Structure formats: structure tokens, C-alpha cells
Amino acid sequence: MAPALGAGDVNEVASLLFNDLERPAFMLRPELSGKKQAMLAAGVLGAGMTGSGPTMFGILGEEGSAREVAAKVRPEFDRVVVARTAHRCVEFLD
């Protein structure tokens, strides 16, 4: 993940998303799995649950696309926020 973040490769970052707690959280709250699937169906490159949940996030490469996806999934969530990150969020010092 660190090299993908350092390179600013959003597709690679999205493909590497993983949270060990998703499976047990989805077993306890099956609707969370449906919310993740809704984001994937709406076009995010990758989606996941933060920490132990229940906050979900999706990754896209462009702000315009993110706003379109946000509009599509808004009915599924209590709150939807579009956030921007720095192009290179990890800088290798050596």
C-alpha cells in the first residue's frame, strides 16, 4: 500500500483496500455489506469500512466522478461527504 500511496496510484490503492473487521461487522450488521455494494455498483474504484465501522468510504480518481457517485448513493446513507486528498499522500524520505 505504501508504494501505491507514494506513487499517487489511485487504482492500485483501491485494489489493495482490506479491513479484517469488515467480515465480522457485516455478520453483525448485514446492511453494511449492502452499503459497500451500493458504492461499488455506483462506480467507486474501491470501497471499505473504516476501523471497526460503521463508517464506509469509497475511492475515485476525480472529484467530478466522486460527486456523481455521492449523489447516486446518498439515499443509502445518513450522511455523504466528498473529500479530496493530496495527490501524493506519502512521501518517501529514503
Side-chain angles (χ1 to χ4, degrees):
M1 181 66 82
L5 289 167
D9 187 341
V10 68
N11 291 305
E12 183 70 9
V13 170
S15 74
L16 295 170
L17 297 175
F18 185 78
N19 181 341
D20 284 331
L21 295 175
E22 268 191 17
R23 187 172 180 199
F26 290 179
M27 290 173 66
L28 290 172
R29 304 249 333 252
E31 69 274 14
L32 293 176
S33 177
K35 291 179 184 301
K36 179 178 179 177
Q37 292 307 313
M39 285 194 295
L40 292 168
V44 297
L45 300 173
M49 181 183 79
T50 63
S52 58
T55 303
M56 306 294 290
F57 67 92
I59 296 178
L60 285 134
E62 298 176 3
E63 185 176 341
S65 299
R67 293 194 182 285
E68 290 175 16
V69 167
K72 288 179 187 176
V73 301
R74 190 162 272 118
E76 297 288 327
F77 294 90
D78 294 331
R79 183 172 180 213
V80 175
V81 176
V82 175
R84 185 179 323 156
T85 62
H87 176 68
R88 288 181 51 150
C89 56
V90 172
E91 184 175 333
F92 292 103
L93 301 177
D94 257 336

